[in-house]
């Protein structure tokens, strides 16, 4: 089913207030899905997001969230070794995942060897294979979207770059049009590093809940992209193509929303 949700947004005076709301949103969905089906599938991105998730590491969430029932994925990943400061896996492990009790086998990172070798194509292929195994194990249901089926996650936590990219789907690059794969790759990303893997747009839009968090660090481009999306629905910006099966929510700080 194609996502038909309405784009919702909330604007927060500061990053700190956005972080509080982000923790609450995530913890509420975690409780809902753990109660309903016994586990919670959550997809992370890189960038500022991991830092903004820090309130989950504080009471009441650190003790109340059922961390052992989480399954964690990445919407995109930089193709480099796990130790590289560019790695989204390292960013999330160091800043968040190592501080909560998620079983290691529930953390689905990019392939260790191909990523260290810089082999983006095989990393994408193996990540898709990993998702297909989880479909067989009934961890991920399938969602029909257009003429294909895609894995369906409970919650995706996304970020947007100032140019309007989300995941590693960049404006003017062909990856945004890929529909016959679940995971694809790019070797000339305009945001460094150049080699990355990324979920395709229909996988992103098959998620039940998509939360896009955007805080602006005083760039001129970010508020302009937000205005293009909310006022003109300019689909040339990849993030304007975001939808979800149940809820598409945008959390913006005041700076990012300054042109709305
Ligand atoms: O690996 C990545 O680079 C990301 O997943 C990317 O899509 C990110 O979410 C946005 O670029 C926002 O990043 P910032 O929060 O740092 O602006």
């Amino acid at each position: 089913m194609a996502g038909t949700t309405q784009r919702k947004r909330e604007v927060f005076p500061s990053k700190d207030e956005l972080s509080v709301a982000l923790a609450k949103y995530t913890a509420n969905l975690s409780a809902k899905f753990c109660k309903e089906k016994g586990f919670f599938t959550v997809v992370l991105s890189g960038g500022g997001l991991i830092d903004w998730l820090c309130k989950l590491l504080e009471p009441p969430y650190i003790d109340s969230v059922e961390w052992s029932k989480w399954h964690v994925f990445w919407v995109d990943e930089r193709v480099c070794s796990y130790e590289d400061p560019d790695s989204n896996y390292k960013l999330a492990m160091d800043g968040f995942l190592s501080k909560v009790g998620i079983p290691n086998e529930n953390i689905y990172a990019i392939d260790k060897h191909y990523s260290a070798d810089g082999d983006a194509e095989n990393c994408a292929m193996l990540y898709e294979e990993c998702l297909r195994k989880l479909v067989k194990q009934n961890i991920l249901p399938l969602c029909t979207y257009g003429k294909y089926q895609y894995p369906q996650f409970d919650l995706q936590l996304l970020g947007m770059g100032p140019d309007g990219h989300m995941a590693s789907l960049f404006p003017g690059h062909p990856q945004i049009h890929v529909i016959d794969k679940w995971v694809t790759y790019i070797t000339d990303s305009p945001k460094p590093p150049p080699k990355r893997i990324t979920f395709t747009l229909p996988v992103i839009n098959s998620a039940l809940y998509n939360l896009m968090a955007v805080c602006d660090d005083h760039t001129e481009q970010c508020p302009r992209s937000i205005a293009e999306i909310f006022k003109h629905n300019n689909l040339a910006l990849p993030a304007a193509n975001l939808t979800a099966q149940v809820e598409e929510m945008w959390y913006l700080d005041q700076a990012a929303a300054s042109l709305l």
Side-chain angles (χ1 to χ4, degrees):
M1 187 185 63
T4 51
T5 53
Q6 277 216 315
R7 185 173 292 153
K8 297 183 190 169
R9 70 170 189 253
E10 281 188 40
V11 179
F12 300 92
S14 68
K15 262 185 210 174
D16 207 52
E17 273 126 320
L18 185 145
S19 292
V20 170
L22 185 62
K24 194 168 174 207
Y25 191 92
T26 306
N28 283 346
L29 286 180
S30 169
K32 167 185 156 61
F33 285 106
C34 289
K35 187 168 175 217
E36 279 172 17
K37 60 174 190 173
F39 59 92
F40 180 47
T41 57
V42 58
V43 182
L44 304 176
S45 52
L49 177 87
I50 300 301
D51 203 28
W52 310 332
L53 282 174
C54 59
K55 301 281 183 225
L56 280 173
L57 303 174
E58 295 173 12
Y61 307 117
I62 187 74
D63 305 311
S64 62
V65 169
E66 293 175 272
W67 299 109
S68 65
K69 297 182 176 169
W70 278 39
H71 289 259
V72 178
F73 303 82
W74 277 267
V75 71
D76 71 335
E77 179 56 287
R78 294 95 180 268
V79 178
C80 56
S81 83
Y82 286 4
E83 292 77 40
D84 194 307
D86 274 337
S87 161
N88 282 345
Y89 169 78
K90 178 178 167 54
L91 180 75
M93 272 318 250
D94 292 354
F96 178 49
L97 299 175
S98 62
K99 302 177 183 185
V100 295
I102 303 174
N104 265 339
E105 63 273 21
N106 290 4
I107 297 178
Y108 305 95
I110 191 171
D111 182 77
K112 192 172 184 171
H113 303 290
Y114 282 124
S115 58
D117 281 355
D119 186 339
E121 187 174 2
N122 273 313
C123 284
M125 198 260 293
L126 285 182
Y127 208 66
E128 179 163 330
E129 224 168 72
C130 160
L131 301 183
R132 287 190 188 278
K133 274 192 203 134
L134 293 166
V135 168
K136 287 210 180 99
Q137 293 167 17
N138 296 322
I139 302 289
L140 296 173
L142 284 173
C143 170
T144 303
Y145 188 95
K147 61 174 176 164
Y148 296 104
Q149 289 191 305
Y150 303 96
Q152 180 162 68
F153 298 92
D154 298 328
L155 170 65
Q156 258 168 166
L157 297 169
L158 302 160
M160 186 195 84
D163 60 353
H165 78 258
M166 67 172 172
S168 287
L169 303 174
F170 292 91
H173 286 256
Q175 288 76 14
I176 185 88
H177 305 295
V178 176
I179 58 167
D180 61 346
K181 290 202 164 61
W182 293 358
V183 184
T184 188
Y185 65 99
I186 180 168
T187 54
D188 59 350
S189 160
K191 178 181 179 182
K195 290 186 192 173
R196 292 149 171 265
I197 65 166
T198 180
F199 283 0
T200 56
L201 183 63
V203 172
I204 294 175
N205 285 347
S206 293
L208 294 171
Y209 292 80
N210 269 324
L211 189 141
M212 172 69 85
V214 189
C215 296
D216 179 39
D217 286 322
H218 309 292
T219 66
E220 281 179 21
Q221 210 186 4
C222 175
R224 276 209 306 267
S225 292
I226 291 292
E228 277 300 303
I229 293 167
F230 280 90
K231 290 186 172 168
H232 308 296
N233 196 31
N234 180 353
L235 297 177
L237 301 186
N241 295 269
L242 181 65
T243 164
Q245 299 303 315
V246 175
E247 182 164 84
E248 176 198 347
M249 175 61 87
W250 288 62
Y251 278 2
L252 310 173
D253 74 348
Q254 192 53 56
S258 58
L259 297 179
L260 294 181

